Short mmCIF file of all heavy atoms in Angstrom, two decimals:
data_model
loop_
_atom_site.label_atom_id
_atom_site.label_comp_id
_atom_site.label_asym_id
_atom_site.label_seq_id
_atom_site.Cartn_x
_atom_site.Cartn_y
_atom_site.Cartn_z
N SER A 1 0.82 -1.21 0.00
CA SER A 1 0.00 0.00 0.00
C SER A 1 0.86 1.26 0.00
O SER A 1 0.38 2.35 -0.34
CB SER A 1 -0.92 0.02 1.23
OG SER A 1 -0.17 0.01 2.43
N SER A 2 2.14 1.12 0.34
CA SER A 2 3.04 2.28 0.35
C SER A 2 3.19 2.92 -1.02
O SER A 2 3.57 4.09 -1.13
CB SER A 2 4.42 1.88 0.88
OG SER A 2 4.36 1.45 2.21
N VAL A 3 2.88 2.17 -2.09
CA VAL A 3 3.05 2.74 -3.44
C VAL A 3 2.14 3.92 -3.67
O VAL A 3 2.40 4.74 -4.56
CB VAL A 3 2.82 1.68 -4.54
CG1 VAL A 3 3.78 0.51 -4.38
CG2 VAL A 3 1.38 1.20 -4.58
N TYR A 4 1.05 4.06 -2.88
CA TYR A 4 0.12 5.16 -3.10
C TYR A 4 0.72 6.51 -2.71
O TYR A 4 0.23 7.56 -3.14
CB TYR A 4 -1.20 4.90 -2.37
CG TYR A 4 -1.99 3.79 -3.02
CD1 TYR A 4 -2.03 2.52 -2.46
CD2 TYR A 4 -2.65 3.99 -4.22
CE1 TYR A 4 -2.72 1.48 -3.07
CE2 TYR A 4 -3.34 2.96 -4.84
CZ TYR A 4 -3.38 1.71 -4.26
OH TYR A 4 -4.06 0.69 -4.88
N GLY A 5 1.74 6.50 -1.87
CA GLY A 5 2.54 7.69 -1.62
C GLY A 5 1.75 8.93 -1.28
O GLY A 5 0.98 8.97 -0.32
N ALA A 6 1.93 9.97 -2.10
CA ALA A 6 1.33 11.28 -1.83
C ALA A 6 -0.15 11.34 -2.16
O ALA A 6 -0.79 12.36 -1.89
CB ALA A 6 2.08 12.36 -2.62
N ASN A 7 -0.71 10.28 -2.73
CA ASN A 7 -2.14 10.27 -3.05
C ASN A 7 -2.98 10.38 -1.77
O ASN A 7 -2.75 9.66 -0.81
CB ASN A 7 -2.49 8.97 -3.78
CG ASN A 7 -3.97 8.84 -4.07
OD1 ASN A 7 -4.63 9.83 -4.38
ND2 ASN A 7 -4.49 7.63 -3.94
N THR A 8 -3.94 11.27 -1.76
CA THR A 8 -4.82 11.42 -0.60
C THR A 8 -6.28 11.19 -0.97
O THR A 8 -7.19 11.58 -0.22
CB THR A 8 -4.67 12.82 0.03
OG1 THR A 8 -4.91 13.82 -0.97
CG2 THR A 8 -3.27 13.00 0.61
N LYS A 9 -6.54 10.58 -2.11
CA LYS A 9 -7.90 10.24 -2.50
C LYS A 9 -8.22 8.86 -1.93
O LYS A 9 -7.65 7.86 -2.35
CB LYS A 9 -8.03 10.24 -4.02
CG LYS A 9 -9.46 9.97 -4.51
CD LYS A 9 -9.53 10.03 -6.03
CE LYS A 9 -10.96 9.77 -6.53
NZ LYS A 9 -11.04 9.83 -8.01
N TYR A 10 -9.16 8.82 -0.98
CA TYR A 10 -9.47 7.57 -0.28
C TYR A 10 -10.84 7.05 -0.69
O TYR A 10 -11.75 7.84 -0.98
CB TYR A 10 -9.44 7.79 1.23
CG TYR A 10 -8.12 8.30 1.76
CD1 TYR A 10 -8.04 9.55 2.36
CD2 TYR A 10 -6.97 7.55 1.62
CE1 TYR A 10 -6.84 10.04 2.83
CE2 TYR A 10 -5.76 8.03 2.10
CZ TYR A 10 -5.70 9.28 2.69
OH TYR A 10 -4.49 9.76 3.15
N PRO A 11 -11.03 5.74 -0.67
CA PRO A 11 -10.00 4.72 -0.44
C PRO A 11 -9.07 4.58 -1.63
O PRO A 11 -9.42 4.97 -2.75
CB PRO A 11 -10.81 3.45 -0.21
CG PRO A 11 -12.06 3.67 -1.01
CD PRO A 11 -12.36 5.14 -0.89
N PHE A 12 -7.88 4.03 -1.40
CA PHE A 12 -6.91 3.84 -2.47
C PHE A 12 -7.42 2.79 -3.46
O PHE A 12 -7.80 1.69 -3.07
CB PHE A 12 -5.57 3.37 -1.91
CG PHE A 12 -4.87 4.39 -1.05
CD1 PHE A 12 -4.01 3.98 -0.05
CD2 PHE A 12 -5.04 5.74 -1.26
CE1 PHE A 12 -3.33 4.90 0.74
CE2 PHE A 12 -4.38 6.68 -0.47
CZ PHE A 12 -3.53 6.26 0.53
N SER A 13 -7.40 3.13 -4.72
CA SER A 13 -7.83 2.21 -5.77
C SER A 13 -6.65 1.83 -6.65
O SER A 13 -5.75 2.66 -6.89
CB SER A 13 -8.92 2.87 -6.63
OG SER A 13 -9.17 2.12 -7.80
N VAL A 14 -6.67 0.60 -7.16
CA VAL A 14 -5.61 0.17 -8.08
C VAL A 14 -5.65 0.98 -9.38
O VAL A 14 -4.73 0.88 -10.19
CB VAL A 14 -5.71 -1.33 -8.39
CG1 VAL A 14 -5.29 -2.15 -7.18
CG2 VAL A 14 -7.10 -1.72 -8.85
N ARG A 15 -6.68 1.76 -9.57
CA ARG A 15 -6.77 2.62 -10.76
C ARG A 15 -6.15 3.99 -10.54
O ARG A 15 -6.03 4.78 -11.46
CB ARG A 15 -8.23 2.77 -11.19
CG ARG A 15 -8.87 1.46 -11.62
CD ARG A 15 -10.36 1.60 -11.87
NE ARG A 15 -10.94 0.35 -12.33
CZ ARG A 15 -11.30 -0.65 -11.55
NH1 ARG A 15 -11.12 -0.54 -10.24
NH2 ARG A 15 -11.82 -1.75 -12.04
N HIS A 16 -5.77 4.28 -9.28
CA HIS A 16 -5.19 5.59 -8.97
C HIS A 16 -3.75 5.71 -9.46
O HIS A 16 -3.03 4.72 -9.60
CB HIS A 16 -5.22 5.84 -7.46
CG HIS A 16 -6.59 6.10 -6.92
ND1 HIS A 16 -6.84 6.18 -5.57
CD2 HIS A 16 -7.78 6.31 -7.53
CE1 HIS A 16 -8.13 6.41 -5.37
NE2 HIS A 16 -8.71 6.49 -6.55
N ASN A 17 -3.32 6.95 -9.65
CA ASN A 17 -1.93 7.24 -9.99
C ASN A 17 -1.03 6.94 -8.79
O ASN A 17 -1.36 7.30 -7.66
CB ASN A 17 -1.80 8.71 -10.40
CG ASN A 17 -0.39 9.08 -10.81
OD1 ASN A 17 0.48 9.23 -9.95
ND2 ASN A 17 -0.16 9.22 -12.09
N VAL A 18 0.09 6.27 -9.05
CA VAL A 18 1.02 5.94 -7.96
C VAL A 18 2.45 6.37 -8.35
O VAL A 18 3.42 5.66 -8.07
CB VAL A 18 0.98 4.43 -7.61
CG1 VAL A 18 -0.30 4.09 -6.89
CG2 VAL A 18 1.12 3.57 -8.86
N ASP A 19 2.57 7.53 -8.92
CA ASP A 19 3.87 8.01 -9.40
C ASP A 19 4.55 8.96 -8.43
O ASP A 19 5.51 9.64 -8.82
CB ASP A 19 3.71 8.69 -10.76
CG ASP A 19 3.35 7.71 -11.86
OD1 ASP A 19 3.66 6.51 -11.69
OD2 ASP A 19 2.75 8.13 -12.86
N HIS A 20 4.07 9.04 -7.19
CA HIS A 20 4.68 9.95 -6.22
C HIS A 20 4.96 9.24 -4.90
O HIS A 20 4.35 9.56 -3.87
CB HIS A 20 3.78 11.18 -6.01
CG HIS A 20 3.57 11.97 -7.25
ND1 HIS A 20 2.58 11.68 -8.17
CD2 HIS A 20 4.25 13.04 -7.76
CE1 HIS A 20 2.65 12.54 -9.17
NE2 HIS A 20 3.64 13.36 -8.95
N PRO A 21 5.87 8.26 -4.90
CA PRO A 21 6.21 7.55 -3.66
C PRO A 21 6.88 8.49 -2.66
O PRO A 21 7.54 9.46 -3.04
CB PRO A 21 7.17 6.45 -4.13
CG PRO A 21 7.77 7.00 -5.40
CD PRO A 21 6.69 7.81 -6.04
N LEU A 22 6.71 8.17 -1.37
CA LEU A 22 7.27 9.01 -0.31
C LEU A 22 8.42 8.34 0.43
O LEU A 22 8.94 8.90 1.39
CB LEU A 22 6.15 9.38 0.69
CG LEU A 22 5.00 10.20 0.11
CD1 LEU A 22 3.98 10.53 1.21
CD2 LEU A 22 5.50 11.48 -0.54
N SER A 23 8.81 7.16 0.01
CA SER A 23 9.96 6.47 0.60
C SER A 23 10.62 5.61 -0.46
O SER A 23 9.99 5.25 -1.46
CB SER A 23 9.52 5.59 1.79
OG SER A 23 8.74 4.49 1.33
N LEU A 24 11.88 5.27 -0.24
CA LEU A 24 12.56 4.39 -1.19
C LEU A 24 11.91 3.02 -1.20
O LEU A 24 11.81 2.37 -2.25
CB LEU A 24 14.05 4.27 -0.84
CG LEU A 24 14.84 3.39 -1.83
CD1 LEU A 24 14.91 4.06 -3.20
CD2 LEU A 24 16.24 3.10 -1.31
N TYR A 25 11.45 2.56 -0.02
CA TYR A 25 10.73 1.28 0.01
C TYR A 25 9.56 1.29 -0.96
O TYR A 25 9.39 0.37 -1.76
CB TYR A 25 10.24 1.00 1.44
CG TYR A 25 9.27 -0.14 1.52
CD1 TYR A 25 9.67 -1.45 1.24
CD2 TYR A 25 7.93 0.07 1.86
CE1 TYR A 25 8.76 -2.50 1.30
CE2 TYR A 25 7.03 -0.98 1.93
CZ TYR A 25 7.45 -2.25 1.64
OH TYR A 25 6.55 -3.30 1.69
N ALA A 26 8.75 2.33 -0.89
CA ALA A 26 7.60 2.45 -1.79
C ALA A 26 8.05 2.48 -3.25
O ALA A 26 7.42 1.85 -4.11
CB ALA A 26 6.80 3.70 -1.45
N ALA A 27 9.12 3.19 -3.52
CA ALA A 27 9.62 3.27 -4.90
C ALA A 27 10.05 1.91 -5.42
O ALA A 27 9.80 1.58 -6.59
CB ALA A 27 10.78 4.26 -4.98
#
């Protein structure tokens, strides 16, 4: 779930953009 990063649109959907990770783990 860390891949959702800076996204704040809840709940997180697999259709959401995940191009803004907040940790190297997420990246």
Side-chain angles (χ1 to χ4, degrees):
S1 61
S2 296
V3 301
Y4 289 103
N7 176 37
T8 55
K9 183 178 180 180
Y10 302 116
F12 293 152
S13 168
V14 288
R15 297 173 178 82
H16 288 172
N17 182 285
V18 288
D19 291 336
H20 299 86
L22 298 181
S23 68
L24 182 67
Y25 168 67

